[in-house]
Amino acid sequence: MPASPSTARAINDRLALRLLQQEGPLTAGQLKQLTGLSRPTVSDLVERLSVSGLIRVVGEWGEQRRGPNARLYGIAADRAHLAALDVRTGGVLVLVSDLVGRVLAELAVPIDADSGTGPAVEQAVAAVEETARKAGPDVWTGLHTVGIGAPGLVDPATGDLRDSSGLPAWHRSLAVALQRRLPEARVTVENETNLAALAEQREGAARDRDTFVLLWLGHGVGAAVVLDGHLRRGASGGTGEIGFLPVPGTGSLPSATDCEGGFHALAGAAAIGALAREHGLAVPGPLDGPGAARVVAESVLAAAAPAGHFLDALAHRLAIGVAAVTAILDPGCVVLGGEVGQAGGEALAARVGARLERMSPLATEVRAGTLGGAAVLRGALLTARDRAQDELFGR
């Protein structure tokens, strides 16, 4: 059946808004060309969106030529403000942006979990408030959407972060505390690796892939699965908990509460540090994700044999986990993400790919992630922006 006039208008409006989001400010003539709509239809939708406050004139096109200039229309970026959080074991990273995703303020705050759940949550909430107030005087009270990326399982039925051993208790209380302080805002929580995969697909190494697996390599290990353009979370939100994957070479098996006998024991930051020491490389103390990334990056740059042997051994370990994933999912592409994946770059990705080719009959391209540890925060922002735009544009 043909669309009703109101439905057709809504479709045209969403099309124009999506183009303005993707392309930036456009003239009415450019909108006509990109949408294929008639001039009167474009004129009507521009008027309609302007009256609704979703777009406004942001400049002129053709300022260097003689004659009248065409108005440039852009999304009203200050119509809503968004916050994105990357929640880590030892702190929180916060950014605040406008509706089109332009970052207005950022802040990193360390949080001592030993201070107790209540004080830790209050520190995190205060960090969000401080960042919002830096962005503008009325941004904090008017935040439209907050996207949170955190380690652990997110219950697909409730959207809540589930209790996970080894993670600070304040993580699970943060979303509720923010919702209480910002009753009008939309607060969502997503697993950090899933958000990293979204960011790599939108803006990073997987932009041309509808099906791929992101292997997160940082302080710990994880995986995110994207099939046919859709993120797969699993029945309990546990898709990609690859740290618990039983693999050879660990000397033990993982348990329901401890992944030390699993793939984590081969590819986590501590394991990378131990492997580097075995190859005679200098490793400064216990390693977190950025520390392990520095060791890998220095090895990529080094010309001496020990560094190359270390990278070969690390690639062999990673290929074990990647081979298990490809045998089940056959994604065709695996992105080595996180700080370590980015630090290893093409040198590490090529090594993993060569070993995988000998272990698996399935053709799988191995790529280095381009966003590194920043992918979680970027993914949280993209998720918040999508949700806010869906609501505001849907009206």
Side-chain angles (χ1 to χ4, degrees):
M1 295 178 61
S4 67
S6 60
T7 300
R9 286 193 294 270
I11 293 172
N12 293 340
D13 290 354
R14 289 297 296 265
L15 175 59
L17 288 165
R18 186 168 69 249
L19 287 169
L20 290 170
Q21 171 66 64
Q22 294 171 348
E23 305 293 334
L26 298 168
T27 66
Q30 290 168 330
L31 280 171
K32 175 183 178 299
Q33 182 179 9
L34 291 171
T35 60
L37 300 173
S38 68
R39 188 178 299 277
T41 299
V42 170
S43 179
D44 287 344
L45 76 82
V46 165
E47 175 67 20
R48 192 162 53 246
L49 293 174
S50 298
V51 170
S52 70
L54 290 175
I55 69 171
R56 62 168 63 106
V57 176
V58 296
E60 293 184 343
W61 183 81
E63 294 178 356
Q64 305 303 319
R65 66 179 186 176
R66 294 181 178 180
N69 300 322
R71 293 177 175 178
L72 276 171
Y73 295 94
I75 292 174
D78 58 357
R79 177 67 183 271
H81 290 94
L82 322 169
L85 284 71
D86 178 359
V87 178
R88 304 190 175 190
T89 303
V92 61
L93 307 178
V94 185
L95 67 78
V96 171
S97 81
D98 59 22
L99 183 58
V100 297
R102 184 170 56 244
V103 177
L104 304 176
E106 297 181 79
L107 187 65
V109 176
I111 296 177
D112 184 3
D114 293 336
S115 61
T117 299
V121 169
E122 189 54 39
Q123 275 186 276
V125 173
V128 180
E129 181 174 358
E130 181 180 350
T131 311
R133 294 195 186 281
K134 285 182 178 179
D138 300 320
V139 172
W140 165 244
T141 55
L143 276 177
H144 184 280
T145 306
V146 180
I148 304 173
L153 303 181
V154 177
D155 190 322
T158 65
D160 297 329
L161 193 63
R162 292 172 53 188
D163 187 6
S164 300
S165 60
L167 296 175
W170 66 268
H171 285 192
R172 299 190 304 278
S173 304
L174 178 56
V176 174
L178 279 169
Q179 191 67 81
R180 190 181 302 119
R181 292 282 289 272
L182 298 166
E184 301 301 320
R186 297 107 187 117
V187 180
T188 59
V189 183
E190 179 59 271
N191 173 267
E192 59 177 358
T193 308
N194 287 343
L195 291 178
L198 171 64
E200 289 285 4
Q201 186 182 33
R202 295 275 196 92
E203 301 176 344
R207 279 176 289 187
D208 61 335
R209 306 294 303 206
D210 287 331
T211 295
F212 72 100
V213 169
L214 174 85
L215 179 62
W216 178 263
L217 302 169
H219 180 73
V221 296
V225 177
V226 178
L227 301 178
D228 300 323
H230 297 287
L231 186 67
R232 305 299 182 179
R233 296 176 175 83
S236 63
T239 295
E241 286 296 312
I242 197 173
F244 287 89
L245 179 72
V247 292
T250 63
S252 63
L253 290 174
S255 70
T257 59
D258 188 358
C259 62
E260 277 305 316
F263 184 57
H264 173 84
L266 291 184
I272 291 175
L275 183 64
R277 292 187 188 97
E278 290 176 15
H279 285 81
L281 303 180
V283 178
L287 291 185
D288 56 4
R294 283 193 295 273
V295 171
V296 171
E298 290 169 2
S299 299
V300 170
L301 295 174
H309 293 160
F310 160 68
L311 290 174
D312 289 340
L314 177 58
H316 176 72
R317 289 185 174 192
L318 297 180
I320 292 173
V322 173
V325 169
T326 57
I328 301 298
L329 298 174
D330 187 19
C333 177
V334 173
V335 176
L336 304 182
E339 297 99 341
V340 173
Q342 183 185 40
E346 179 56 31
L348 182 60
R351 283 174 163 87
V352 175
R355 280 150 184 78
L356 181 63
E357 193 172 337
R358 297 196 295 267
M359 297 170 66
S360 172
L362 306 175
T364 306
E365 182 182 4
V366 180
R367 300 179 179 180
T370 59
L371 301 179
V376 176
L377 195 60
R378 190 64 196 167
L381 176 58
L382 290 170
T383 301
R385 190 187 72 184
D386 287 350
R387 183 174 181 185
Q389 290 187 358
D390 281 346
E391 179 174 327
L392 293 172
F393 295 173
R395 294 175 182 174

